[in-house]
């Protein structure tokens, strides 16, 4: 049997992809098995309550649990009984816009985002929870409904590695609207992005009323300030435009820094006002330490 050059190339690309998936699985599963699963369980398990039954009132029951309709119907006091939710749903909302391809010191933001998402997914799997994925730019690029199991998590990792977005821009508000429209039940939501976007305060406020949301900001040290290196051509990763920029100009550098800091302050303030969690991690830092600290603080 002979394979065409195209078939051989596809076979090699598939093998390379499987190697990448396996490499990420080994690293992130070890982290989730030995470090995160317990912290994840402590932080999120039991935060939701579901209705179980109605039974006659017993001494010591909370009067706030009385079901007045049933009590009136049977002329005997009855209370509602709730059970702790044993199964939760985790939704991973991952920004795959052009700015995620930025990186220095041999690490791209996209690589760290993939590792964090994979670690969270395996942590949820350890607790027999469902995991879903939303890949977004300024549109919904891919939606994988929540399911359980290792094979499902591996599919999520494959998409995180190889999916090519149609757009390079970012619209977090659009992604949050989609979350609210598709997830009717409460979910544990991780929005993983560099948050170089704005105008999502209203949609986050609505989504956070139903879901437990955490924003994980992944960024690079070199993004914070523009270096003074003279006249250089710069590519805007989200628009594709190339512009000549005079980095020797102090006003240009200050203008860029203000733009960057305004987005960070907006992210921090917006998430805090909505009651959502915030994690900041640089690509050259240990996201393990940052996430553990966050889980313990809950």
């Amino acid at each position: 049997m002979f394979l065409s050059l195209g078939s051989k190339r596809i076979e090699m690309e598939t093998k390379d992809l499987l190697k990448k998936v396996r490499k990420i699985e080994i690293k992130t599963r070890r982290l989730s098995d030995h470090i995160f699963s317990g912290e994840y369980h402590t932080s999120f398990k039991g935060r939701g309550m579901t209705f179980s039954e109605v039974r006659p009132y017993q001494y010591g029951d909370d009067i706030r649990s009385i079901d007045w309709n049933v009590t009136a119907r049977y002329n005997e006091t009855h209370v509602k009984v709730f059970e702790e939710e044993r199964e939760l749903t985790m939704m991973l909302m991952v920004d795959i816009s052009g700015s995620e391809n930025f990186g220095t010191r041999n690490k791209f933001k996209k690589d760290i985002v993939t590792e964090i998402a994979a670690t969270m997914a395996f942590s949820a799997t350890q607790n027999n929870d469902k995991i879903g994925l939303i890949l977004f730019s300024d549109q919904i690029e891919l939606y994988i409904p929540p399911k359980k199991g290792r094979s499902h998590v591996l599919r999520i990792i494959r998409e995180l590695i190889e999916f090519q977005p149609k757009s390079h821009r970012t619209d977090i508000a659009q992604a949050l609207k989609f979350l609210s429209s598709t997830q009717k039940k409460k979910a544990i939501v991780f929005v993983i992005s560099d948050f170089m976007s704005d105008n999502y305060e209203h949609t986050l406020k609505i989504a956070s009323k139903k879901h437990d949301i955490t924003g994980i900001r992944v960024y690079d040290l070199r993004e914070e300030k523009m270096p003074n290196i003279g006249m250089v051509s710069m590519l805007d990763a989200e628009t594709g435009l190339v512009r000549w920029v005079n980095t020797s100009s102090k006003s240009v550098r200050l203008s860029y820094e203000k733009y960057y800091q305004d987005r960070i302050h907006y992210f921090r303030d917006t998430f805090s006002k909505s009651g959502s969690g915030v994690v900041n991690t640089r690509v050259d830092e240990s996201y393990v330490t940052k996430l553990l600290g966050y889980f313990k603080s809950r």
Side-chain angles (χ1 to χ4, degrees):
M1 179 179 179
F2 295 94
L3 293 174
S4 66
L5 289 176
S7 297
K8 286 183 179 179
R9 185 176 68 252
I10 293 172
E11 184 180 4
M12 289 177 64
E13 289 175 352
T14 302
K15 287 182 178 179
D16 289 341
L17 173 61
L18 291 175
K19 285 180 181 178
K20 290 178 181 178
V21 172
R22 181 59 178 158
K23 184 178 179 180
I24 290 177
E25 181 190 12
I26 291 171
K27 179 177 181 179
T28 59
R29 188 155 197 167
R30 184 171 63 247
L31 289 173
S32 63
D33 287 352
H34 299 294
I35 301 175
F36 284 108
S37 60
E39 297 298 338
Y40 166 82
H41 182 277
T42 302
S43 299
F44 298 107
K45 282 295 184 180
R47 297 182 68 84
M49 303 296 287
T50 56
F51 174 75
S52 175
E53 62 177 339
V54 174
R55 61 165 172 76
Y57 177 86
Q58 297 174 3
Y59 178 77
D61 285 339
D62 191 336
I63 60 172
R64 291 174 296 182
S65 301
I66 294 176
D67 187 322
W68 294 107
N69 290 329
V70 176
T71 296
R73 188 183 310 144
Y74 292 100
N75 200 26
E76 181 185 1
T77 306
H78 282 69
V79 294
K80 294 179 180 178
V81 179
F82 294 86
E83 289 183 346
E84 181 181 282
E85 288 184 350
R86 298 298 178 183
E87 179 184 291
L88 298 178
T89 295
M90 174 189 287
M91 286 302 304
L92 298 169
M93 299 180 60
V94 180
D95 179 358
I96 56 171
S97 62
S99 61
E100 297 304 319
N101 291 314
F102 183 87
T104 56
R105 301 185 183 182
N106 300 320
K107 283 191 176 182
F108 290 94
K109 287 189 287 185
K110 180 181 178 181
D111 298 332
I112 303 302
V113 165
T114 298
E115 286 189 17
I116 292 173
T119 303
M120 294 295 95
F122 279 122
S123 296
T125 298
Q126 286 286 98
N127 292 283
N128 200 36
D129 292 337
K130 295 178 181 178
I131 306 102
L133 177 69
I134 297 172
L135 298 181
F136 69 92
S137 53
D138 61 348
Q139 58 186 273
I140 303 305
E141 299 279 356
L142 177 69
Y143 171 58
I144 300 179
K147 283 179 63 177
K148 297 180 183 181
R150 175 178 175 271
S151 61
H152 181 67
V153 173
L154 293 180
R155 181 197 171 189
I156 287 175
I157 295 174
R158 285 197 301 272
E159 297 293 355
L160 287 166
I161 293 173
E162 70 170 355
F163 191 88
Q164 296 299 315
K166 297 181 182 69
S167 174
H168 296 290
R169 296 176 182 269
T170 309
D171 189 339
I172 293 173
Q174 186 71 18
L176 290 168
K177 286 179 183 178
F178 183 80
L179 171 74
S180 295
S181 67
T182 55
Q183 303 304 311
K184 301 305 180 183
K185 292 184 178 181
K186 181 179 179 179
I188 307 300
V189 181
F190 292 98
V191 186
I192 312 175
S193 172
D194 56 11
F195 291 92
M196 288 291 102
S197 179
D198 53 18
N199 297 322
Y200 53 83
E201 181 175 3
H202 179 65
T203 49
L204 178 62
K205 186 177 181 180
I206 293 173
S208 62
K209 288 181 179 179
K210 180 186 296 183
H211 305 295
D212 190 331
I213 301 178
T214 299
I216 303 178
R217 185 173 75 94
V218 179
Y219 67 103
D220 191 286
L221 180 65
R222 298 293 177 87
E223 292 177 297
E224 296 181 318
K225 291 187 177 182
M226 181 179 289
N228 184 352
I229 52 177
M231 187 72 75
V232 295
S233 61
M234 292 187 174
L235 170 68
D236 187 324
E238 300 217 347
T239 64
L241 296 176
V242 177
R243 298 177 181 176
W244 284 95
V245 179
N246 182 13
T247 63
S248 297
S249 168
K250 185 176 181 180
S251 63
V252 170
R253 295 198 305 273
L254 290 176
S255 178
Y256 170 80
E257 288 173 26
K258 183 180 184 303
Y259 170 84
Y260 183 84
Q261 291 301 325
D262 284 347
R263 294 299 182 279
I264 305 314
H265 291 152
Y266 180 80
F267 160 67
R268 182 191 62 207
D269 295 344
T270 300
F271 269 72
S272 296
K273 287 178 183 176
S274 71
S276 301
V278 169
V279 178
N280 292 281
T281 182
R282 253 187 5 235
V283 295
D284 59 329
E285 293 179 322
S286 169
Y287 64 82
V288 174
T289 302
K290 292 297 183 74
L291 290 173
L292 278 175
Y294 171 70
F295 287 158
K296 289 177 179 177
S297 71
R298 292 173 62 99

